[in-house]
Amino acid sequence: MKKLLLPMLFLFVLVLTACNNESTETKTNTTSNDKKEESTTITYQSEEGPIEVPADPQRVVVVSSFAGNVAALGVNLVGVDSWSKKNPRYDSFLKDVEEVSDENLEKIIELDPDLIIGLSTAQNLDKLKEIAPTVTFTYGKVDYLTQQLEIGKLLNKEKEAQDWINDFEKRTKAAGEEIKAAIGEDATVSVIENFDKQLYVYGNNWGRGTEILYQAMGLKMPKKVEETALAPGYYALSLEVLPEFAGDYVILSKSAATDNSFQETETYKNIPAVKNNRVFEAPMEEFYFNDPLTLDYQLEFFKEHFLNSK
């Protein structure tokens, strides 16, 4: 009997050992796969809820507004909207990047993006989400610096975004104090643009340097601008009433491709800021946005012009 039990006991030990090895191997593989999954995606808390996005996106498409925010963080873009492609300040970042539209889904599919970013008003969002993880932002829902921080979180570069914000706040504060000392605490500034034969004046969060002038530096806007443009972001006006909206200083967002004949009228020439050489003309295509690339440029523009004005 003992002779029969010993082989059976030996066989049982072999089977038990094999099972343990298999269990260990399975557990090891599972743990390895978990780590691999964790390293390739992150969860971003978007306006629409949590969404899985690449931890290290390599082929980002921006269908509206945020190309400069992405480029400033060193993330590779493969497609951007037409407005971004027109911005000469983005040229070094978008040289080989395709122009896309939320209406041309085939072009976006060809680019094989791993992440799509745009405004919440973008078209075909349901179809874009079928192509790649798609995250949208509502313009103005958060301030311009928080917007950059959110895109930093989305791209897994929150620290880089926060570092830029901290530095930018210091630089704008110092520049604002210097400019106020030069032009006076009560001096008013207007931001005006001539687009498609229509004059506009802007509030404090519609690009064109308004965030720096009014939010970061605390410069004052004329009462008329505050009443009409601050809440909606911008206000369309006629040439006849332009003098009522012009501050002591005027930032004129201007394109050479636009009809700017209004500047030859007596109405325009008699505006005090014009007569006193306090109109600073800024290139329209480079001034639209409020991303880090544009904001850094706008800050230097304002320092140069305000501090060298009479």
Side-chain angles (χ1 to χ4, degrees):
M1 188 65 181
K2 287 182 180 178
K3 290 180 179 178
L4 287 174
L5 282 174
L6 282 173
M8 292 180 64
L9 181 60
F10 179 69
L11 181 61
F12 175 74
V13 170
L14 285 176
V15 170
L16 184 61
T17 302
C19 290
N20 284 340
N21 286 342
E22 183 178 354
S23 175
T24 302
E25 186 176 342
T26 301
K27 185 176 181 180
T28 302
N29 288 340
T30 301
T31 303
S32 176
N33 288 335
D34 287 346
K35 286 182 178 179
K36 185 178 180 181
E37 185 70 21
E38 289 172 4
S39 67
T40 57
T41 64
I42 60 172
T43 300
Y44 175 69
Q45 299 295 331
S46 74
E47 291 180 9
E48 298 180 289
I51 179 171
E52 290 295 313
V53 297
D56 184 20
Q58 298 295 312
R59 300 184 62 80
V60 178
V61 163
V62 174
V63 293
S64 47
S65 287
F66 304 112
N69 301 81
V70 175
L73 291 169
V75 174
N76 187 53
L77 287 154
V78 294
V80 298
D81 59 286
S82 61
W83 288 84
S84 296
K85 284 293 283 185
K86 293 176 184 174
N87 185 349
R89 194 142 298 275
Y90 293 166
D91 279 353
S92 61
F93 300 92
L94 306 183
K95 181 181 176 184
D96 299 319
V97 176
E98 295 286 336
E99 180 179 320
V100 299
S101 162
D102 52 13
E103 296 177 337
N104 189 348
L105 300 178
E106 290 184 1
K107 183 69 171 292
I108 295 176
I109 292 172
E110 289 174 4
L111 294 174
D112 190 26
D114 55 5
L115 179 64
I116 299 174
I117 304 172
L119 287 168
S120 56
T121 53
Q123 300 183 60
N124 296 312
L125 283 176
D126 288 342
K127 294 179 180 176
L128 289 171
K129 290 174 183 177
E130 293 176 3
I131 299 172
T134 300
V135 176
T136 61
F137 299 96
T138 302
Y139 188 86
K141 186 170 184 176
V142 296
D143 67 76
Y144 68 112
L145 296 179
T146 304
Q147 180 67 72
Q148 179 62 13
L149 184 61
E150 286 302 311
I151 291 180
K153 292 177 182 176
L154 169 62
L155 300 175
N156 205 17
K157 289 183 176 291
E158 180 177 358
K159 182 181 183 304
E160 291 89 335
Q162 187 63 62
D163 287 347
W164 176 83
I165 291 169
N166 295 341
D167 180 57
F168 185 73
E169 288 180 324
K170 289 179 183 177
R171 287 185 284 129
T172 49
K173 181 181 179 182
E177 290 173 353
E178 197 174 358
I179 289 172
K180 283 181 180 176
I183 69 174
E185 290 280 344
D186 294 326
T188 57
V189 182
S190 302
V191 178
I192 293 169
E193 187 173 271
N194 174 35
F195 180 76
D196 200 18
K197 299 181 180 180
Q198 175 64 59
L199 291 170
Y200 295 90
V201 65
Y202 294 91
N204 69 352
N205 69 339
W206 214 258
R208 299 160 178 83
T210 56
E211 291 85 0
I212 295 177
L213 296 171
Y214 302 127
Q215 293 189 47
M217 293 182 177
L219 301 183
K220 294 183 178 179
M221 63 177 66
K223 194 69 177 176
K224 196 74 173 178
V225 177
E226 185 177 334
E227 292 172 352
T228 56
L230 185 57
Y234 62 90
Y235 181 75
L237 66 159
S238 65
L239 173 62
E240 287 70 27
V241 299
L242 179 60
E244 300 175 33
F245 292 82
D248 300 312
Y249 293 80
V250 172
I251 310 301
L252 178 59
S253 175
K254 179 181 175 182
S255 172
T258 302
D259 178 5
N260 293 301
S261 58
F262 78 96
Q263 289 184 282
E264 303 304 320
T265 65
E266 291 302 312
T267 302
Y268 179 78
K269 290 179 179 178
N270 284 319
I271 292 173
V274 178
K275 297 172 74 173
N276 294 323
N277 293 318
R278 290 175 175 173
V279 176
F280 307 147
E281 295 187 359
M284 182 191 296
E285 293 81 1
E286 300 179 52
F287 238 59
Y288 286 137
F289 300 93
N290 55 14
D291 58 83
L293 302 179
T294 305
L295 290 165
D296 284 342
Y297 165 60
Q298 291 169 341
L299 177 57
E300 293 306 311
F301 178 95
F302 293 141
K303 286 165 61 178
E304 176 186 347
H305 286 79
F306 278 110
L307 298 178
N308 291 325
S309 65
K310 297 178 181 178

